[in-house]
Amino acid sequence: MEPSLDQLRKNYERFDDNKLTRIATEEAAGLRPEAVDLLKQVIKERGLSGSIIKGIDAQLQEVDDRILSEYAELLRGLPCPLCKSTDEKLNATMTGSVISFIIMTNYQKELKVACPNCLDKANDRAMIKSALFGWWGFPWGIIRTPQALLLNNKMKKQNRLSEPNDLFNAFVLGKIGRLEANRNNPTELQEIIEHIR
């Protein structure tokens, strides 16, 4: 059962500004229309930045290739979160690493946004880690280690594309509300790529 508007208002009013901003810029697309209207109203009542409401609206609009490209370029020109270089445009990769201990195998995938050199290094580290420590679990180590090696090798081929790769575009699409709300705030944009969740 969905909460009533009165219950929603009480919840929104109880949230601190940071939590309310996070909901507005990251989760508005999943809210029902009357909850979105109420969220906007509470943001206005608190005197929070109008850019937060723009972040809500950005999540609710249809995103075509031109709009997606515009948001992607907001991030691609930032300094690399790992080496701080601005020599090359940022992109994204998925690393996969496996560590096994006889009857236990841990297969971890992680999204990274960085410059192509740092992305290559991240994929290489994940491959070395998996090659050294992945095989030693039965039966999953023997299965997951080749999967991780193939994933890293495949992703490494996309690190140096001149255009944003599909993984980067998917990341941007999921962050459109935050990107719009922080369009003119380079510090907050850097935070988006440094602390991926």
Side-chain angles (χ1 to χ4, degrees):
M1 188 167 110
E2 293 182 341
S4 70
L5 289 179
D6 287 337
Q7 290 170 320
L8 275 176
R9 175 175 275 286
K10 286 177 185 172
N11 285 340
Y12 290 159
E13 289 174 348
R14 191 183 60 207
F15 296 151
D16 65 22
D17 290 350
N18 290 333
K19 184 167 185 174
L20 196 65
T21 299
R22 186 186 56 74
I23 290 169
T25 59
E26 296 179 16
E27 301 175 15
L31 299 176
R32 61 186 202 252
E34 56 272 16
V36 170
D37 293 339
L38 182 60
L39 181 60
K40 288 180 179 181
Q41 185 178 353
V42 171
I43 288 168
K44 287 177 186 174
E45 289 170 3
R46 286 199 189 178
L48 297 176
S49 172
S51 64
I52 297 170
I53 292 175
K54 288 181 182 178
I56 293 171
D57 294 337
Q59 293 172 74
L60 302 176
Q61 72 179 352
E62 185 175 328
V63 179
D64 60 22
D65 289 342
R66 182 190 60 78
I67 293 171
L68 182 61
S69 176
E70 181 182 319
Y71 285 115
E73 290 308 312
L74 271 176
L75 294 181
R76 290 195 79 207
L78 293 173
C80 173
L82 302 176
C83 71
K84 307 302 181 205
S85 170
T86 56
D87 294 342
E88 296 182 88
K89 290 192 173 205
L90 304 181
N91 224 328
T93 197
M94 183 71 66
T95 61
S97 59
V98 178
I99 297 179
S100 295
F101 304 100
I102 303 170
I103 59 169
M104 185 193 90
T105 298
N106 181 26
Y107 181 28
Q108 182 177 355
K109 291 182 181 178
E110 190 174 355
L111 176 69
K112 305 255 185 211
V113 173
C115 69
N117 289 332
C118 289
L119 294 178
D120 284 348
K121 288 176 187 174
N123 288 122
D124 288 342
R125 279 191 301 272
M127 283 194 283
I128 291 168
K129 182 178 180 180
S130 298
L132 293 175
F133 304 112
W135 303 99
W136 311 112
F138 184 78
W140 293 109
I142 297 167
I143 295 168
R144 296 289 189 206
T145 300
Q147 289 174 337
L149 295 174
L150 289 171
L151 171 70
N152 285 297
N153 192 44
K154 177 184 171 188
M155 294 309 302
K156 197 171 173 182
K157 293 176 183 176
Q158 298 180 26
N159 291 346
R160 296 190 177 277
L161 296 176
S162 60
E163 297 297 317
N165 60 29
D166 291 341
L167 197 56
F168 189 83
N169 282 334
F171 172 75
V172 169
L173 196 56
K175 302 291 183 192
I176 281 187
R178 280 186 73 192
L179 294 172
E180 181 58 40
N182 296 290
R183 178 183 286 275
N184 298 315
N185 185 345
T187 305
E188 195 60 35
L189 292 174
Q190 193 72 32
E191 178 79 13
I192 292 170
I193 60 172
E194 286 181 4
H195 303 286
I196 296 173
R197 51 176 183 214

